[in-house]
Amino acid sequence: MSEKAKKMTLAEKKEKFMEIKPYLIVLLIPIAFTLLFGGLFSPIFAQNIPIEILDMDQSATSREVIDNFYDSPTLSVKEDVSSVDEIKEKLLTGEIHGAIIIPQDFGKDLNGKKGAKAVVLMDNSNFMYGNNVMSAVNTIFETVNAGVQLKYLEAGSLVPYQAEQSVYTLNLVDRIMYNPQLGYFYYLLPGLLAIFAQQAFLAAGVPILVEEKKRLKDLPMKLSRQFIRVDLSLMVRRFMLLTGLSIISTMICLRLIIKIWGFPMEGNIFVLILFETVFLGAVTGMALVIASIFEEVAHAAQFTMFLTIPTFLSCGFAWPEYMMAPGFAAVIKAIWPLYYYVLPVKNIILKGTGLELLKPYLVGCALFAAVWIPIGLLLFGRKVKIIRELHG
Amino acid sequence: MLKKTNRITVAFYNFKLKHPRLVMAALVFIIIPLVSGLALGYEMKADVPTSIPTVIVNHDDSDFSRTFTGFVEDSHYFNVIEYAENDQRIKDLMDRDKAFAGIIIPENFYNDMRAGKAPKILTLYDGASLSVVTTCKTAMSEILLTTKGAYMMSIFEGKISAVPDQVMSMVTPIDVNYKFLYNSTKSFRNYLLIGMLASVIQVGIAMQGAERGYENQIAPKSYPEQIKVLGGWSFMSMISILLCLGVQYLFFDMPYRSTVWGGLLMTFLFAMCILTMGYIVGNLVPDRTFAIQISAILVLPTSVLGGYTYPIEGMPYGFQTFAKGLPFFYYGNWIRSLCLKELEFHHLMVPLLFFIKFILAELLIIWAVTLFKNWWRAKHKKEWEVTPIV
């Protein structure tokens, strides 16, 4: 085999590579991107977000409060500004993402039970920053407040136990289901797996179909039915191979994220495989439609690459269906199948949801495939016929 | 003979064959930006997650707990879809994507509270829907703080006989005023769409760059001519980004509060960075489709790697350093800042300098590649007596 490879000319090697390229894309691209994004999101929490503290009081009390912020792993505190204007300038340029301003007489007011004030500024243009800063700062101020309240109550004749119970009563206990650490990685990865599968499949499948269309254009007009049947079955087998490789790739991706980053896989792997099979069938319908529109492989490839972000943002993953504008969900479900796959993937992986509950998605996806594969075949066949007539 | 119904298809087909560049340029630079901008802008019209489907399980049934659930019902952030009998119902509805939040108030909650047993209200969120949870948690905390504030006032008044003037300052010893700057309403569109749309367009820009680079392989141009091509197509690319963001500005209330000239210059330089990157790939990779795919794959992940949605402070150190070398890290974050903050030209020095350095490095690479190819062609022309395509 290696001897044969050695004897091949550069042109032959290139041809061989182009032959196996679609299969390599489907198999390897999702794995490469999973490793890349897995590494990127692996820390789970955002840490050391830069903030400034402006202490205009400069009292022992304000110092005591400020010291608490240095212990927060979320925040990276600096105190090198002397005015609010400087803070605003740093917030504008993104040098810091939050600021705490302790006004004059802060300590006096707190000690005198007059109610001290503090101002927290947060850069909410990217509210991932705003939320993280708010959460960290709020926790610290709540802890400080609770400590002060305890002192007040104990000074007012309550025994420490009673005081503590009074202060800590009526609290919320938050439980984040399916993603306990509220990590971005856990949230995003099921969606990414779905989009990797979709895009790799399209990047491999659409060029095959466009090439096929080009080839058919140049064949003699009167082809026997036998020939067409052989040709069609070859195409079906190639797409089945792509589907199989795509499923293998998704399984490898899952295995990797479980092994390397301890990602939880709650659901049944066979349900996931079933969904991916039906989904790729539906995507095949769309691949046929795209291939029937474009004459050049390069143009079709450009169009399929474009679909990545818009289909991801409109499939109900980042922006849930109930929040979509009227009519949008119905249209998107009718023209693109990702909705029927991405949400089940998320639910299977994170929630462990079974087939029973996911049946509506499966039926929807199967219906989508049942409608769009014939439409795709019809459009593709019609286009082939027209260009054959034109060039024949 | 073709049917009449096929005439439009044939006309379009012939037009595409005659003007492939025009058709793709129109698709990439005009149609896709407009359609993406309009569709995604419309999809996220609600802008902020509100009416979050919520289930309440109230085991207490006291006036106090009903007051609390009343606050939840009154909040426009929550839509109480069901008062369930058992806790499991919340999980069932979350599994079906019918509910995103749940509240469980334990039995004897109010009595336990009065007895000083510090009972807790359990709130559950669907962590698989992060965009909803972040809003949910903040809104729920606000409701609780209001309820708790009233309760603490009664404690201070009743148990330590504080005078009413003092009570408020004892309930909240430090009154913190939180100010959410630049996107105070937590608009999801302003947070996400501005950069994401630019990210959609940058994929097209890179691929068009690859096309131009590949054309240079087939019909080589001189170095100044190549720069002219890059300049012209970068201008087109800038128009494409402006068109896409313009749709948001005109139809979906996207603000633009900063220097216009700074924004234009930054957009042009960013477009040139990406187009030239694609051009280099197209100029080197011998297969046209593969060159396009590589150039797209080079820029596609930068919408995530560039720390646009996920803070780079949350990435491992190596990724942070890498992000700072990506054009989208600067463009994504700064174009959002230009829209939401009031920036002046001098604030833009960091991204502008980065883009200029990046472009200069790219032009240097193109120069080196051109020199090498000219030398190679000249060398083999003598051997083969024809000019080879590189």
Side-chain angles (χ1 to χ4, degrees):
Chain A
M1 183 68 190
S2 60
E3 270 304 304
K4 202 180 163 189
K6 272 181 196 169
K7 281 180 188 168
M8 284 165 97
T9 62
L10 198 66
E12 283 171 334
K13 279 181 185 166
K14 186 189 162 191
E15 197 181 326
K16 193 78 198 161
F17 174 73
M18 295 316 283
E19 218 173 273
I20 59 167
K21 190 188 81 176
Y23 308 106
L24 292 179
I25 287 177
V26 164
L27 189 66
L28 300 181
I29 291 288
I31 298 172
F33 276 106
T34 300
L35 290 172
L36 182 71
F37 288 128
L40 174 79
F41 294 128
S42 56
I44 297 184
F45 298 112
Q47 291 192 321
N48 298 319
I49 297 174
I51 67 159
E52 282 283 357
I53 297 182
L54 175 60
D55 183 5
M56 295 160 101
D57 188 42
Q58 298 288 343
S59 65
T61 310
S62 67
R63 194 67 254 157
E64 206 180 309
V65 172
I66 289 167
D67 284 345
N68 288 295
F69 292 94
Y70 281 91
D71 298 332
S72 167
T74 310
L75 307 172
S76 169
V77 180
K78 279 190 220 165
E79 288 183 76
D80 55 6
V81 287
S82 51
S83 70
V84 176
D85 286 343
E86 273 183 69
I87 286 177
K88 283 185 178 165
E89 194 68 8
K90 285 191 169 193
L91 281 166
L92 274 177
T93 56
E95 203 180 315
I96 55 169
H97 298 289
I100 300 167
I101 301 167
I102 307 284
Q104 272 182 339
D105 297 331
F106 175 88
K108 213 168 95 183
D109 289 342
L110 192 63
N111 296 330
K113 296 183 186 174
K114 288 179 186 166
K117 306 244 184 265
V119 177
V120 178
L121 305 175
M122 284 157 295
D123 178 359
N124 222 34
S125 55
N126 177 347
F127 51 66
M128 290 289 277
Y129 279 119
N131 287 342
N132 276 301
V133 172
M134 160 93 179
S135 170
V137 171
N138 191 34
T139 306
I140 293 167
F141 271 123
E142 272 191 13
T143 311
V144 173
N145 268 342
V148 178
Q149 283 171 346
L150 275 176
K151 277 185 199 163
Y152 290 162
L153 287 170
E154 282 170 21
S157 78
L158 257 73
V159 294
Y161 174 75
Q162 276 181 316
E164 203 172 305
Q165 292 296 68
S166 298
V167 168
Y168 292 113
T169 200
L170 198 61
N171 274 341
L172 288 178
V173 177
D174 288 340
R175 193 172 150 209
I176 313 292
M177 310 276 283
Y178 321 118
N179 179 7
Q181 293 158 307
L182 211 57
Y184 203 65
F185 183 38
Y186 283 16
Y187 156 69
L188 199 61
L189 208 99
L192 291 178
L193 283 181
I195 201 78
F196 295 159
Q198 172 188 289
Q199 286 309 119
F201 191 82
L202 282 173
V206 172
I208 290 177
L209 290 169
V210 180
E211 288 287 4
E212 180 65 7
K213 197 169 70 175
K214 275 180 148 181
R215 202 177 64 82
L216 288 171
K217 182 184 81 178
D218 301 324
L219 287 176
M221 282 300 283
K222 285 182 182 171
L223 282 174
S224 70
R225 282 187 177 277
Q226 180 73 16
F227 179 87
I228 292 169
R229 234 177 273 142
V230 170
D231 199 50
L232 197 69
S233 88
L234 182 71
M235 197 50 68
V236 170
R237 269 183 283 158
R238 291 181 83 180
F239 269 82
M240 281 171 73
L241 181 58
L242 286 179
T243 306
L245 287 173
S246 178
I247 291 168
I248 291 170
S249 179
T250 304
M251 295 304 116
I252 294 173
C253 292
L254 260 178
R255 192 76 202 138
L256 284 173
I257 55 171
I258 292 167
K259 267 271 174 208
I260 303 174
W261 296 291
F263 195 90
M265 167 64 195
E266 302 291 342
N268 187 327
I269 205 89
F270 294 107
V271 179
L272 190 66
I273 292 173
L274 175 66
F275 266 95
E276 185 159 346
T277 310
V278 181
F279 170 67
L280 293 178
V283 175
T284 305
M286 302 319 290
L288 282 161
V289 174
I290 295 167
S292 71
I293 297 169
F294 292 93
E295 317 312 326
E296 292 286 336
V297 177
H299 295 168
Q302 285 189 54
F303 184 76
T304 54
M305 284 293 176
F306 255 127
L307 293 170
T308 317
I309 296 172
T311 53
F312 187 66
L313 290 180
S314 59
C315 67
F317 185 83
W319 193 249
E321 187 185 346
Y322 88 91
M323 295 196 302
M324 288 179 185
F328 188 86
V331 172
I332 210 72
K333 284 185 215 172
I335 62 168
W336 199 259
L338 188 60
Y339 166 88
Y340 302 107
Y341 180 57
V342 75
L343 298 178
V345 169
K346 181 180 80 172
N347 289 356
I348 292 165
I349 294 178
L350 290 178
K351 300 182 178 180
T353 313
L355 188 58
E356 189 59 33
L357 292 182
L358 297 172
K359 217 184 268 170
Y361 293 106
L362 192 65
V363 172
C365 199
L367 275 174
F368 189 98
V371 171
W372 280 98
I373 291 177
I375 291 177
L377 283 170
L378 203 75
L379 290 173
F380 190 77
R382 180 172 168 266
K383 189 64 172 285
V384 169
K385 202 177 156 201
I386 289 172
I387 56 174
R388 277 167 62 78
E389 278 183 37
L390 280 172
H391 294 271
Chain B
M1 193 60 194
L2 286 168
K3 286 179 195 168
K4 278 182 188 173
T5 49
N6 291 337
R7 279 186 192 157
I8 298 170
T9 314
V10 172
F12 184 53
Y13 173 76
N14 286 331
F15 187 78
K16 275 193 293 180
L17 287 189
K18 271 187 197 163
H19 310 283
R21 251 181 163 207
L22 179 70
V23 171
M24 279 318 284
L27 183 73
V28 170
F29 290 135
I30 299 169
I31 299 169
I32 289 178
L34 282 177
V35 173
S36 308
L38 285 167
L40 296 175
Y42 178 71
E43 179 200 8
M44 296 181 186
K45 216 175 164 190
D47 215 8
V48 180
T50 51
S51 305
I52 296 159
T54 306
V55 182
I56 296 177
V57 185
N58 188 353
H59 295 295
D60 181 43
D61 211 28
S62 65
D63 284 345
F64 184 85
S65 63
R66 276 196 294 272
T67 308
F68 178 75
T69 57
F71 284 145
V72 177
E73 277 196 51
D74 292 343
S75 163
H76 71 285
Y77 286 112
F78 299 99
N79 171 24
V80 180
I81 56 166
E82 193 175 316
Y83 277 92
E85 295 294 320
N86 61 69
D87 304 351
Q88 182 60 29
R89 179 72 180 152
I90 296 176
K91 190 181 177 305
D92 288 347
L93 287 167
M94 279 187 185
D95 282 349
R96 291 166 199 265
D97 291 331
K98 301 282 180 212
F100 294 90
I103 300 168
I104 300 173
I105 302 174
E107 241 177 287
N108 297 321
F109 174 77
Y110 184 59
N111 289 338
D112 285 351
M113 204 171 80
R114 282 168 60 95
K117 291 181 185 169
K120 305 269 191 290
I121 295 174
L122 181 63
T123 49
L124 299 110
Y125 304 104
D126 181 354
S129 302
L130 205 63
S131 53
V132 180
V133 177
T134 46
T135 311
C136 264
K137 269 174 68 83
T138 318
M140 193 68 85
S141 298
E142 277 168 17
I143 292 172
L144 186 86
L145 275 177
T146 313
T147 318
K148 190 172 178 174
Y151 174 72
M152 288 302 288
M153 281 174 84
S154 72
I155 294 275
F156 277 100
E157 279 175 350
K159 294 196 175 169
I160 62 170
S161 311
V163 291
D165 283 354
Q166 262 189 343
V167 168
M168 248 339 269
S169 47
M170 292 175 103
V171 169
T172 42
I174 303 172
D175 182 14
V176 186
N177 183 5
Y178 292 97
K179 290 185 178 177
F180 293 99
L181 302 174
Y182 317 125
N183 182 13
S184 52
T185 56
K186 290 195 179 182
S187 156
F188 207 80
R189 270 194 310 212
N190 290 344
Y191 153 67
L192 189 72
L193 269 193
I194 299 169
M196 279 298 147
L197 288 171
S199 176
V200 173
I201 311 304
Q202 75 160 347
V203 178
I205 296 172
M207 292 190 294
Q208 282 293 301
E211 285 259 44
R212 302 293 83 79
Y214 187 76
E215 283 169 8
N216 191 58
Q217 284 197 56
I218 307 298
K221 293 182 183 70
S222 67
Y223 187 60
E225 274 176 322
Q226 289 182 64
I227 291 182
K228 231 165 95 181
V229 168
L230 289 172
W233 284 91
S234 299
F235 184 76
M236 286 278 290
S237 309
M238 177 188 77
I239 300 290
S240 171
I241 297 176
L242 296 179
L243 205 61
C244 192
L245 295 182
V247 165
Q248 300 307 306
Y249 181 78
L250 290 173
F251 301 113
F252 300 110
D253 302 326
M254 182 192 85
Y256 189 86
R257 299 177 180 136
S258 303
T259 159
V260 173
W261 292 111
L264 286 174
L265 180 63
M266 197 179 82
T267 303
F268 176 77
L269 292 176
F270 168 72
M272 193 159 186
C273 281
I274 301 300
L275 190 99
T276 313
M277 197 194 290
Y279 187 90
I280 292 169
V281 174
N283 206 3
L284 291 173
V285 177
D287 182 77
R288 185 182 170 198
T289 307
F290 199 38
I292 286 170
Q293 287 174 331
I294 290 177
S295 60
I297 285 172
L298 277 178
V299 296
L300 251 177
T302 61
S303 55
V304 181
L305 293 172
Y308 178 73
T309 49
Y310 183 69
I312 67 161
E313 284 82 358
M315 299 177 189
Y317 179 74
F319 281 93
Q320 289 186 30
T321 314
F322 181 63
K324 287 173 187 165
L326 297 171
F328 191 74
F329 168 75
Y330 297 90
Y331 189 73
N333 289 308
W334 282 90
I335 191 69
R336 181 170 54 197
S337 294
L338 281 165
C339 291
L340 302 179
K341 301 176 179 178
E342 286 172 11
L343 293 172
E344 291 169 22
F345 197 89
H346 69 90
H347 288 123
L348 300 177
M349 282 307 135
V350 173
L352 292 180
L353 281 175
F354 172 83
F355 291 143
I356 289 168
K357 282 181 201 164
F358 200 90
I359 290 167
L360 286 176
E362 286 177 323
L363 292 181
L364 208 64
I365 292 171
I366 294 174
W367 182 65
V369 170
T370 308
L371 282 183
F372 173 77
K373 284 190 172 187
N374 287 345
W375 168 80
W376 199 87
R377 279 190 203 103
K379 188 184 161 199
H380 291 283
K381 191 179 176 183
K382 281 176 197 159
E383 284 172 32
W384 300 340
E385 293 176 350
V386 287
T387 307
I389 292 170
V390 192

